[in-house]
Structures are given as structure tokens and as C-alpha cells.
Amino acid sequence: MKLDEIAIGRLAAHLDTCIREVKDTVKITDTYPEMDWDDAYAVQDALRERQIARGARVIGYKIGLTSLAKMKQMGVNSPVFGCLLDAHALPDGGSADTAALIHPKVEPEIAFVLERELKGPDCHIGAVLAATAFVLPGIEIIDSRYRDFKFDLKSVIADNTSAARFVIGGQPLAIAGADLRTIGIVLERNGESVAFGAGAAVLGNPAVAVAMLANHLAARGESIPAGAVILSGGITEAVAVRPGDNVTLRIHGMGSISVRF
Ligand code: OOG
Ligand code: MG
């Protein structure tokens, strides 16, 4: 750790204010270039503690920057981990209030729901599949607190990896017998197909991303509890949305979900 508790608390409060007041900021590594990975996750933790103190609950996790398309789009080269709060969840067919978001984008994702606790270290794809009840279509609505979505990995980790809202639903697909690599997805905006892909875009298999999450949490003495929902990462580039837009995600064999803005 390079930052002291005061600096960590100050940065968490700053990002919290950006979220609550719907305003952007320059990336925090501009002010604290010396910060390291532990500092970045410590700021994320402190931000979460502020939200929990106001009544939020953690209901799941997310892995981000897991596909080449996303890494290229954001100019970074390694996955990041964040958490999902109850207040982030929107119903299928619901609407996201754009007045509460800075510059939202949508991502097509495969969501995992666990039937058993998943614990690292040494978690592997087999352990993930054994612990998963089913997978579902998921639309993640990301909203970086950084101006023009310009950030580096440490800044985006501190910002809870741009987490803002998410929708899951559609038709649950039992994990037994499913090949997550070849599942095709289509993302539509206002009826027009705007992004396509397959599960293999996420680290060869989205279950690999979930294993990485379990190992990341294990290094911090944590695990993923049964019942948690996990967004495994955008399969394609994120797509910008505006007020009035209607977004639908269709996944082969898993139905569709949608959200309005
Ligand atoms: C960071 C979050 C990326 C994903 O699925 O790749 C993410 C960002 O691009 O703002 O959630
Ligand atoms: Mg995402």
C-alpha cells in the first residue's frame, strides 16, 4: 500500500459524491500516481462501505475487461473485479433513469447464479461449473465516473469497475450440458442489431472469469456465497445509450431481456 487511510477515505468520498451528484471527474491516478493495486481495491472497499452504511446490500459480483473487444475499447489489458448492489438491479423490461447516470453504456453479458459457495485459491473452470445452478442473459449498464470513460486500471478498480445498473432475466439455462463458448448473442438498440458475439469472447469461456473472481476474493480471505449473481464481463464492446433508447439482449437458448432509458 502506498496511500494512507486518509487518502483512501478521501478518494472513496470523492467517487461517492460523483455517483450521487451525477458528475464526472478526472481519473484519480492523476492526483495519486503512486497508488498501487491494493490501494485501488481499498478505495473500492471504502466506497462500498459508504454505500452499505446508507443501507445498500451486496448481492453479487462482476468481472470486467474480460474480452478482447472490451480491452481494446478501453486500452487496458487485464480483468478487474467489482461488486453488485441490490440498488443496481433493474427488472427485465424496466427502465433506467438517465438523469441519475453520467454517460451510460450497455454490455451484453452471461450472468451466473451459484447454488453453492465458490472458494479459491486454485479455483478452476470445473469448480465453477460444479457450483453454478444456471446461467442467464445479463445486460450491464456501466457508467464510469471518469470523464469520457478515460481511465487506467487502478482508477477503474477504485470506481467499482464502472458498475451502475444491471438487468438479468430471460430463460435460465442449466449449466450441465451447456457449452458456454458457442452460445451466440445479439444486442439490439431500438430494434437494430448493434453488437454480436459468442461466449468464447470472454477469456475463451466465461466460467474462466468466474474462477478468476473466486481466486481474487480468496487472496482477500473472501468467497462467493451461494445465490450470488455474477456478471462475467462484456462479450462485445460497450454500446452508448441515450434517453429514449430501448435495448434488448437475445442469447441463443436463453431467451431475451430488455431495458429502456
Ligand atoms: C469498466 C468495466 C468493464 C466489462 O464487462 O468489461 C466491464 C469499463 O469499461 O468502464 O464491466
Ligand atoms: Mg460489464
Side-chain angles (χ1 to χ4, degrees):
M1 303 266 301
K2 298 286 191 314
L3 304 186
D4 61 19
E5 234 171 87
I6 293 169
I8 303 258
R10 192 178 292 145
L11 288 170
H14 176 57
L15 291 168
D16 197 18
T17 302
C18 290
I19 294 171
R20 282 150 66 88
E21 297 181 2
V22 196
K23 62 178 196 200
D24 63 12
T25 176
V26 295
K27 62 184 196 305
I28 59 175
T29 47
D30 288 356
T31 328
Y32 291 94
E34 72 278 23
M35 71 186 276
D36 65 19
W37 302 107
D38 290 336
D39 293 322
Y41 279 106
V43 174
Q44 185 192 112
D45 289 349
L47 172 60
R48 171 160 59 245
E49 286 312 315
R50 295 177 70 92
Q51 293 165 320
I52 287 172
R54 289 196 298 269
R57 281 179 301 115
V58 175
I59 57 169
Y61 296 89
K62 60 167 286 189
I63 311 110
L65 308 171
T66 48
S67 65
L68 212 56
K70 277 291 308 183
M71 289 190 210
K72 264 198 196 146
Q73 183 180 31
M74 306 320 299
V76 295
N77 59 6
S78 116
V80 292
F81 309 97
C83 72
L84 302 174
L85 303 179
D86 55 346
H88 291 157
L90 297 175
D92 179 16
S95 64
D97 178 10
T98 48
L101 300 167
I102 302 163
H103 43 198
K105 293 185 186 181
V106 290
E107 298 178 322
E109 307 207 10
I110 292 177
F112 287 66
V113 176
L114 298 189
E115 62 185 352
R116 286 205 295 278
E117 182 193 23
L118 191 57
K119 217 176 180 155
D122 307 322
C123 183
H124 51 81
I125 181 169
V128 173
L129 299 179
T132 299
F134 51 82
V135 287
L136 286 168
I139 296 174
E140 180 173 27
I141 299 162
I142 53 169
D143 192 35
S144 176
R145 268 53 71 167
Y146 301 117
R147 198 152 303 151
D148 303 322
F149 266 87
K150 293 228 161 52
F151 51 67
D152 52 17
L153 283 172
K154 288 168 191 162
S155 295
V156 73
I157 288 166
D159 185 29
N160 193 23
T161 66
S162 311
R165 304 285 185 275
F166 69 94
V167 180
I168 57 172
Q171 193 179 312
L173 177 71
I175 197 80
D179 184 348
L180 299 179
R181 298 169 302 177
T182 54
I183 289 178
I185 70 105
V186 180
L187 186 70
E188 297 173 356
R189 186 179 52 197
N190 304 325
E192 185 194 349
S193 304
V194 286
F196 325 89
V202 171
L203 296 169
N205 187 321
V208 171
V210 179
M212 288 178 76
L213 170 69
N215 290 329
H216 162 77
L217 291 173
R220 307 155 54 85
E222 297 168 29
S223 62
I224 314 173
V229 50
I230 303 154
L231 291 175
S232 56
I235 292 169
T236 69
E237 273 191 10
V239 173
V241 287
R242 287 192 307 231
D245 281 350
N246 216 308
V247 171
T248 298
L249 171 63
R250 303 182 192 283
I251 305 193
H252 185 76
M254 295 162 68
S256 63
I257 53 174
S258 58
V259 60
R260 288 174 289 126
F261 290 85

